[in-house]
Amino acid sequence: MERLQRELEIQKKKLDKLKSEVNEMENNLTRRRLKRSNSASQIPSLEEMQQLRSCNRQLQIDIDCLTKEIDLFQARGPHFNPSAIHNFYDNIGFLGPVAPKPKADQRSIVKTPKTIPDTEEDEGAQWNCTACTFLNHPALNRCEQCEMPRHF
């Protein structure tokens, strides 16, 4: 009998604790509802609506552009690797510093030797891109138009 009485007391304490937690939660909920009903920010103003519409339009344009870019990438074929695209200028070799131009009175006296060799003879023939058929310079490793690698 005593054991049952102790258990009853423990359960009553638990019940009281739960009741107080429920009351606290109900009070919090009531406060939140009052804040929402009293706040003017629940209904956006006309300016906020226009800004939201503008942002939505811009996001839709961005989505359309990205979709078209993805379609273009997919249309370039199974060998196309978007991560292999690099800046055009990364593929041009550095030819060294440029010699200073001679002054006007020295032009007739001093002839500067030709430092850059004829590109057709030393670099080979021009090459056609396999993706867009553009005729590229032999020194380029990527197509000048579509940046497709020369040898993929």
Side-chain angles (χ1 to χ4, degrees):
M1 187 76 153
E2 289 176 13
R3 194 183 85 208
L4 287 174
Q5 203 169 13
R6 274 185 264 141
E7 272 188 52
L8 179 64
E9 290 298 319
I10 292 172
Q11 295 300 327
K12 282 183 178 181
K13 287 180 183 179
K14 285 182 182 178
L15 180 63
D16 289 339
K17 184 178 179 183
L18 288 173
K19 283 181 181 179
S20 66
E21 288 176 2
V22 167
N23 285 336
E24 187 178 330
M25 288 180 190
E26 286 176 347
N27 289 337
N28 286 338
L29 180 63
T30 306
R31 270 188 252 121
R32 282 191 223 147
R33 284 181 180 163
L34 283 174
K35 280 183 182 178
R36 267 191 259 149
S37 65
N38 292 337
S39 111
S41 65
Q42 186 179 12
I43 299 172
S45 68
L46 184 61
E47 291 173 359
E48 290 173 330
M49 294 276 277
Q50 289 172 344
Q51 287 176 342
L52 289 172
R53 285 184 182 139
S54 174
C55 287
N56 282 344
R57 271 187 248 120
Q58 186 61 43
L59 286 172
Q60 187 62 47
I61 290 169
D62 291 344
I63 289 169
D64 292 341
C65 289
L66 283 173
T67 304
K68 288 178 183 178
E69 284 180 31
I70 290 170
D71 291 343
L72 284 173
F73 283 144
Q74 289 175 345
R76 290 189 178 176
H79 302 293
F80 179 71
N81 183 3
S83 64
I85 294 177
H86 297 291
N87 188 348
F88 168 76
Y89 296 104
D90 292 343
N91 298 316
I92 298 178
F94 180 65
L95 300 174
V98 178
K101 293 183 179 180
K103 295 180 182 174
D105 58 338
Q106 292 178 346
R107 284 187 190 164
S108 58
I109 302 168
V110 179
K111 286 188 176 180
T112 56
K114 189 175 182 183
T115 57
I116 301 174
D118 187 14
T119 56
E120 284 296 318
E121 294 173 6
D122 289 348
E123 295 175 354
Q126 293 179 331
W127 58 279
N128 285 341
C129 175
T130 56
C132 70
T133 69
F134 182 77
L135 188 61
N136 290 286
H137 189 273
L140 297 176
N141 292 329
R142 294 189 177 277
C143 178
E144 190 172 348
Q145 294 297 313
C146 69
E147 295 187 351
M148 182 76 165
R150 184 175 186 173
H151 305 288
F152 58 92

